[in-house]
Amino acid sequence: MIKLNSINKTYYTGSNSLHVLKGVDLSIEKGELVSIMGSSGSGKSTLLNIIGMLDNYDSGDYFMNGERIYKMSEKKAAYYRNKFIGFVFQSFNLISFKNAMENVALPLYYQKVSRKKRNIKAMEYLEKMGLAEWAHHLPNELSGGQKQRLAIARALISEPKVILADEPTGALDSATSMEVMELFHEINELGITILIVTHERDIAAKTDRIIKLKDGIVDSIIANGERKKWLADQKMA
Amino acid sequence: MFDRDKWQEIFSTIRKNRLRTILTGFSVAWGIFMLVVLLGSGYGLENGVKREFQGDAVNYISVNSGVTSTAYKGMKPGRRIRFTNEDRDILARIDNVEKSSSRTFLFTDNNIIAYKNEYGTFDIFAISPEYRYVESLIVTSGRFLNRKDIDDYRKSVVLGRLVYEALFKNGEEAIEKYVKISGVPFKVVGVFNDPGQDRDLLRVYIPVSTAQRVFNMGNYIRNVSLMLGDAGVEQSLQVVEDVKTEMSVRHQFDPKDNRALFIFNSIQNYQQFMDLFAGIRLFIWIIGTGTIIAGIVGVSNIMMIVVKERTKEIGIRKALGATPWTIVSLILQESILITAFAGYIGLVSGVGLLELISKVLPSHDYFANPEINLNIALAATVLLVIAGAIAGYVPARKAATVKPVVALRDE
Ligand SMILES: Nc1ncnc2c1ncn2[C@@H]1O[C@H](COP(=O)(O)OP(=O)(O)O)[C@@H](O)[C@H]1O
Ligand SMILES: [Mg+2]
């Protein structure tokens, strides 16, 4: 699904330059649930943004679905983001003056889906997230967990192949964080590839694989046994 | 581009930023309002003055005799120049003069005109028939004085509408009736109207030949008016020179003596007014477009702030699949909408004010029907849309270049 070969990225600010990614190699299969860990400033978000085509990389190769992604036009990048990728952010990034339903429906607006169809589908996804009765509320009337569920509904509505989540539980308490992780598992069960950036061990522990970034390269990849155990626990409970 | 969703997007952002939008809109509305009111007033002034001119032809030269002010060939200054019928005929032969007519104001013992029991004091002019073209008269009943009236010394009279109304009550027919002018009966042959001032309608015209004989005026006349066809300003000035030369020889005065003749050149006068109005119009357009440009800059500034405020939102939209063009058109459309709507309000209130003025101030001299014609209103509308697009262009470009990574950074 996603394949990175020695990806390099340097940020230039004024006369300073910061070599953040120094040859990242990574391969993620379809249907995987993977976490990326690393200390603050290690380039996790940078990597995720490159994968999400929100940012360009300097050198290396990046293939998504077998297609090379490199310095594509903004228009094309917008198309790919819309079609293949769903984003979930730490600070939710909901549009404050649009109600829950309109927020969820927005990706379909850019697919030129009619308003009526858009809203029907948005309601469907809100129901799945247990937010149906909040459809006409503005984001600031929702709790943190509800906001993130809303953001996840928005990421899912365009039926993406990959979900990229940057610290999705960073602003949530631990109980809510677990609920959100549960949701990711359910989505993952549907065959959607998920990439979660986090610096919390217990969040990473709930994924198939942990990719550790350090000093601009992939330091280690840990296959995770805990998830199976966790699922088994769930079934018993 | 003009789908309903985008409008909904725009309206929701406008609703969210009501005060800001109103303030911006106001500057545009004010600009258009000023332009409309200024242009309308300019037209009002122009219409008023043009109407003043309507009462008279704008292609004549009027020559009045005066009193010499300089000594000439041994003659003392202070000599009165007196025109005769002959002068009229001589001036008719000057190049570019189509018709020559004379007009003499009658001073009789009493200027009373009477019919049955009604009477009044009116201006009496002894004229030659061509004079009707100088005044642009409209004969509403009967006929005007003609050559036969002159040749046969007929006692014929043409009444101004107000004279007719004063003397003939209850709409009584005036033609073929006799009125007494200074005690002498004259037959009414016509009644005239004049689109110019009312003063011109308090007059009667009688044949110059008859007047000279009946009221003992010899062969003297006061004024010669020359009709010039479609001569331009240059030609009219030449005619004025020719008149001076011709008359100075005939009446023995210094051609440079500008008190011996009083000459009014309506062609030059009219041209001066028209030049003045062209100047005023240009001035108004400059002021008006200046005000509108200020409005555009205002809108552009505000849209710039909008884009800044909405950087994060634009980043989110891009992450969700918005192309640069959808962002550009969103900002452009909002800008055009604000400008066009506000401008329209300015246009309507400006036109409203003009309407009010023309109702409250009915046909004042020199100010009539302040108006703004449809073409100008249409031009203003097109101008507004273009202005909105210009105002939105720079901010829209800025919005399109927003980098989602930068916009979405959490710190
Ligand atoms: N647009 C940018 N310009 C300059 N420096 C940046 C930019 N984005 C990130 N950085 C720097 O790059 C480093 C990695 O950032 P980031 O990928 O956000 O790290 P993480 O998400 O792992 O905390 C940090 O030191 C950060 O300050
Ligand atoms: Mg980060």
Side-chain angles (χ1 to χ4, degrees), chain B residues 39-65:
Chain B
L39 276 177
S41 312
Y43 275 108
L45 204 60
E46 194 171 330
N47 284 340
V49 172
K50 270 189 182 154
R51 207 179 57 173
E52 289 297 309
F53 275 110
Q54 243 176 37
D56 296 308
V58 289
N59 61 340
Y60 74 94
I61 289 173
S62 165
V63 187
N64 277 282
S65 56

Side-chain angles (χ1 to χ4, degrees), chain B residues 374-403:
Chain B
L374 191 66
N375 281 343
I376 297 223
L378 282 178
T381 314
V382 172
L383 186 78
L384 283 172
V385 173
I386 295 172
I390 293 172
Y393 180 74
V394 176
R397 281 297 304 273
K398 194 176 153 72
T401 57
V402 164
K403 287 235 171 303

Side-chain angles (χ1 to χ4, degrees), chain B residues 33-200:
Chain B
F33 177 79
M34 289 298 286
L35 181 65
V36 167
V37 169
L38 284 173
L39 276 177
S41 312
Y43 275 108
L45 204 60
E46 194 171 330
N47 284 340
V49 172
K50 270 189 182 154
R51 207 179 57 173
E52 289 297 309
F53 275 110
Q54 243 176 37
D56 296 308
V58 289
N59 61 340
Y60 74 94
I61 289 173
S62 165
V63 187
N64 277 282
S65 56
V67 178
T68 60
S69 64
T70 55
Y72 187 69
K73 288 188 177 166
M75 287 176 288
K76 285 181 188 155
R79 195 159 43 88
R80 172 167 291 282
I81 308 294
R82 301 186 78 185
F83 290 160
T84 62
N85 294 338
E86 215 180 321
D87 287 298
R88 179 184 64 221
D89 301 336
I90 286 168
L91 293 181
R93 292 196 284 271
I94 289 177
D95 276 355
N96 286 319
V97 173
E98 269 189 359
K99 295 185 185 78
S100 170
S101 63
S102 70
R103 185 191 81 185
T104 307
F105 187 76
L106 227 62
F107 291 99
T108 57
D109 301 339
N110 56 49
N111 274 18
I112 288 175
I113 303 181
Y115 175 70
K116 290 182 183 166
N117 292 328
E118 308 291 341
Y119 61 91
T121 308
F122 303 99
D123 294 339
I124 302 160
F125 285 96
I127 58 160
S128 60
E130 294 81 6
Y131 187 72
R132 73 179 293 184
Y133 300 108
V134 175
E135 291 283 350
S136 310
L137 296 176
I138 298 162
V139 175
T140 51
S141 65
R143 61 171 176 84
F144 198 68
L145 300 178
N146 58 25
R147 183 72 13 218
K148 240 174 141 38
D149 291 311
I150 301 286
D151 292 345
D152 298 350
Y153 301 92
R154 284 181 185 166
K155 294 199 186 80
S156 304
V157 62
V158 180
L159 307 180
R161 180 172 59 79
L162 294 178
V163 179
Y164 162 73
E165 283 168 9
L167 298 181
F168 291 83
K169 296 300 175 188
N170 306 322
E172 187 185 342
E173 179 61 53
I175 310 300
E176 299 285 317
K177 305 280 166 53
Y178 285 85
V179 295
K180 280 189 173 161
I181 299 176
S182 222
V184 181
F186 277 73
K187 187 161 84 178
V188 177
V189 296
V191 176
F192 67 88
N193 207 343
D194 188 323
Q197 295 144 301
D198 283 353
R199 230 197 110 66
D200 292 358

Side-chain angles (χ1 to χ4, degrees), chain A residues 82 91 93 98 110 118, chain B residues 5 9 312 317 320 410:
Chain A
N82 187 258
S91 56
N93 284 337
K98 288 180 174 293
Y110 292 112
R118 238 162 46 213
Chain B
D5 288 307
E9 292 273 302
K312 184 136 197 157
R317 287 173 183 275
L320 298 180
D410 282 333

Side-chain angles (χ1 to χ4, degrees), chain B residues 37 43 52 63 66 139 144 147 149 151 183 190 217 230 233 241 251 274 300 311 315 340 344 350-351 366 388 394:
Chain B
V37 169
Y43 275 108
E52 289 297 309
V63 187
V139 175
F144 198 68
R147 183 72 13 218
D149 291 311
D151 292 345
M217 290 159 53
D230 54 5
V233 176
E241 281 313 304
H251 295 281
M274 291 307 111
S300 195
T311 303
Y344 185 72
V351 170
Y366 299 114
V394 176

